[in-house]
Amino acid sequence: ITIWHSHCFYPAGKVRWKSNTRPAPVLTAAPVRALVDEQVSIRGHFLPLHCPVTLHARMHSDEGDLWESFAHYNADERGTFSLGGSYLGCEPMGLFWSMQPAPGGREGLRLRKKSVESPYTVHVSLLEGHVSTSEGQWSELAAVTVERWYIAPGVKRIEINQNGLVGTLFIPPGPGPFPAMLDLWGMGGGLQEYRSSLLASKGYVSFSLAYFGWSLLVFLPQAAFLLLQDHPQVVSDRVGIIGLSFGCYLTLRIPTKTGVKVRHEAYFINLSNVFGTFNSWFLDHQIEERLRSAGKSHLLTRLSYPGAGHLIEPPYSPSARTSISDVSAAVITMWGGHPALHAAAQEDAWKKILDYLEKNLRS
Amino acid sequence: MSLSSPPPILSVRPSRALVDEAFEVLVENLPPVSPFTLRSLHHSEDGDDWEAYGHYFSDHSGRVSVSEDLSFGGTYSGREPMGLIWSLRPVPGSRTGLRLRKKDVTTPMLITISLYNGHEDFRDNSPLVSMVTERWYMGPGIQRIEITDGGLRGGLFIPPGPGPFPGILDLWGGGGGLLEYRSALLASRGYICLALEYFKTGQMKSTDLSFEYFEKAYHVLKDHPQVIPDRVGIISLCLGTIVTLSLVVESAEIKPSCVVCISNMINKSPGKTLSGFHRSIPSKFNKIRVDENNHQIWRDVGLALLKEPSMKVDVAKINCPLMLVNGCDDQNWCAVETADDISKTMNAAGKGHLLTRVDYPDTGHLIEPPFSPHCFAGNFFVYSSNEKVIQLYGGKTKPHSDAQDDSWRKILSFLRHHLYCSHKAKM
């Protein structure tokens, strides 16, 4: 065991590590660079036995807003603690999904990665004692930085703008051909790439379609679908669609209205208590009715998470209790849900979706 | 395009890692018990292509695991989880005398790993599936600061967090230039590390650097607000070991907590500048031999210089822990004989307890961080005669790679013991 005279060197803080039989506290994480749906384990070492410490995670969104989280731990009888290890009673990824906008920032923020080719850089500090706010003096004992990526190495990003079709295509590395996914988003509209880039990182050619801001026309999803089917690196009878909230509705219109052949579709549908302008129970019922009338009930796979928010995204992302809908800045929609349940729903739904795609598009 | 059978799935985990971390390469969904080749490809900063490959057989569940299965030929054989990296070599038809060294450490090395049908004839086929993996020298949150004040040329690497941290001065060898990759990796392991350029390749003039240059660099580290002033060490290789040993013995300013010398030289440079040493070598040029490929073997030059007591740094005066790492097949310098000489002198002076020594069999001169490709012979610019030659460095690839892996871990534990430690490190 290493020994160190540490009291001379620490910055000002309430607790001085006077012991000369312990080295300085150390914080480590593994892996330090990972995809956002991969777990990270964080460990602290060389703390005084049973001492209280706080993990403070913070990062900046692409828009420059600060998000942060605090988690309290007590070192064990060996002066260590770990998340993602055998430490009882804590959820390994809670430090990430429980992040909230830092006080004093803009209102109604939602965390969505705009630039998928760069990671989120999360700085995790180990602080002495149990602290919960940005106020007051802290003593940072140690730190580690982790990167959270929405894209795997080698995935190509291609901007598409042809014949009114606007979006971004992601192609996995390698010769292919690959199964493909058309990625549609919800009422927020615009162009969200991060789910597509993640799906491409799992081996699917994936296309994020821009609409609402660009065009309300229903034929766009069909054109996008055909673009995928015709792509030289795509297996044309292995193309699926993933939709979310309003996107679900649009998704449905493709097979029943326009006669386009769709092999499989994945749906996010959730039954929850949702307030505000959007009632998903009603939508859910509608979708089921339509499919049944078209003789296609067998295509529907329903995933439901009681208590989860309307927005289900790739796991370990902070959940949005409220966010400014891009449709109108003046409208703040309550998306509903509770953080811990939502996080569990995210993790489970994402796993189920990937398994579903694997089973139906790859075999 | 349609699919007749499910495509194979190739995964590399982790897909982004530090260069001294291992990965797992796994292929699934293959036809059972069939021959396949896994090949890695890297396009270097210098524009050369490097490759490695192993021949495997899938099992009955259609799986090939590089960590668990055996390679039956290629650039490596046997159970070698990292064979696709350490056995990288220039593709056939490449320029000669190449050495793979990353100059820009802020970006990763990109390695494409592909699966092919067959063994000997695998190149006739197109790859079935490919993945890209990133190998980083710099961990996230590491700060890189260019050092240019006071005439110094270097790169300082600082880990995230408040510190304070131990410091390390990093000195490379006779190839010259600014090589930051080992420093970036040491910073990723918890040290503030300064990579110091002390002469540019081919610029003889700049070797007129006095030891004052190095003392200035040492102070940059020691005086840095986040560095623990009495926990500064030095790591060096080849020509850098001459600098290091001379400084430790003769400089009043430089009192490191510990020193690592790889591929040792012990020669004294008269007049406290490096050019003194360079001027002394040509007198022994008659000792240079060449092998059947016309590659120059310089180890006898070293042996000749070793015979002259006035040409050696007086290592009896060393007062800090010293770790020596050498390759037994070093053809570039007589590193093992030098280590023997150092051992003898220090033992006679009662300083033997300060010495740690590891000699690796079948290992050459260029002992790099783990999984770096083995450089057996490389291009070198000889300052004294202004000519480009190919020097033989020696070593057999597999033992040399094992030595790189093992020596790195030994070096890290040595540094951890002496720089994160407060017990009596000096006499």
Side-chain angles (χ1 to χ4, degrees), chain B residues 158-176:
Chain B
I158 304 177
F165 305 99
I168 299 178
L169 178 63
D170 182 359
L171 300 170
W172 280 99

Side-chain angles (χ1 to χ4, degrees), chain A residues 62 113-120 147-159 168-171 193-194 197-198, chain B residues 16 134 136:
Chain A
D62 283 353
K113 194 86 175 58
K114 282 264 151 359
S115 160
V116 298
E117 289 177 300
S118 62
Y120 278 133
E147 290 178 358
R148 308 292 293 156
W149 289 80
Y150 281 88
I151 197 166
V155 171
K156 289 186 280 293
R157 177 183 177 274
I158 300 168
E159 288 175 21
T168 313
L169 190 64
F170 291 92
I171 305 182
E193 296 182 7
Y194 58 90
S197 60
L198 267 180
Chain B
R16 294 182 168 98
E134 294 177 356
W136 291 80

Side-chain angles (χ1 to χ4, degrees), chain B residues 22-169:
Chain B
F23 59 24
E24 289 188 2
V25 178
L26 180 67
V27 196
E28 296 168 295
N29 262 15
L30 293 168
V33 196
S34 304
F36 294 97
T37 297
L38 275 165
R39 178 192 188 225
S40 59
L41 190 62
H42 170 66
H43 189 74
S44 74
E45 285 168 333
D46 298 330
D48 303 293
D49 288 325
W50 294 66
E51 67 169 4
Y53 52 92
H55 300 313
Y56 293 90
F57 293 98
S58 54
D59 67 10
H60 284 87
S61 66
R63 223 165 155 264
V64 168
S65 160
V66 176
S67 307
E68 292 162 14
D69 298 338
L70 302 162
S71 159
F72 285 93
T75 58
Y76 66 96
S77 58
R79 185 173 295 111
E80 295 291 345
M82 299 302 288
L84 286 167
I85 304 287
W86 60 253
S87 71
L88 281 169
R89 60 190 190 186
V91 298
S94 295
R95 305 182 290 157
T96 52
L98 296 178
R99 189 175 165 189
L100 190 64
R101 310 183 89 179
K102 191 95 172 51
K103 299 284 184 328
D104 180 4
V105 297
T106 62
T107 59
M109 281 179 64
L110 294 177
I111 314 253
T112 301
I113 297 184
S114 305
L115 178 81
Y116 295 79
N117 269 318
H119 284 175
E120 289 77 35
D121 50 349
F122 81 93
R123 285 184 211 277
D124 299 338
N125 312 314
S126 306
L128 299 171
V129 64
S130 294
M131 283 296 277
V132 177
T133 182
E134 294 177 356
R135 309 288 295 167
W136 291 80
Y137 284 96
M138 241 168 98
I142 303 284
Q143 232 191 320
R144 178 187 172 269
I145 299 173
E146 226 169 275
I147 302 294
T148 49
D149 31 287
L152 292 175
R153 296 186 303 279
L156 186 68
F157 292 85
I158 304 177
F165 305 99
I168 299 178
L169 178 63

Side-chain angles (χ1 to χ4, degrees), chain B residues 183-214:
Chain B
S183 289
L185 201 54
L186 285 168
S188 304
R189 298 293 169 214
Y191 301 90
I192 291 187
C193 203
L194 174 61
L196 187 68
E197 179 178 7
Y198 57 101
F199 58 86
K200 277 184 166 5
T201 318
Q203 288 177 20
M204 176 63 176
K205 218 53 197 110
S206 59
T207 65
D208 279 348
L209 293 169
S210 69
F211 287 168
E212 201 188 300
Y213 180 84
F214 301 95

Side-chain angles (χ1 to χ4, degrees), chain A residues 4 9, chain B residues 166 218 222 227-233 255-257 418-419 421 425-426:
Chain A
W4 191 19
F9 306 115
Chain B
Y218 190 79
K222 189 167 180 265
V227 168
I228 306 160
D230 60 350
R231 296 284 177 267
V232 179
K255 303 276 171 234
S257 299
H418 291 291
L419 297 180
C421 194
K426 302 179 206 265

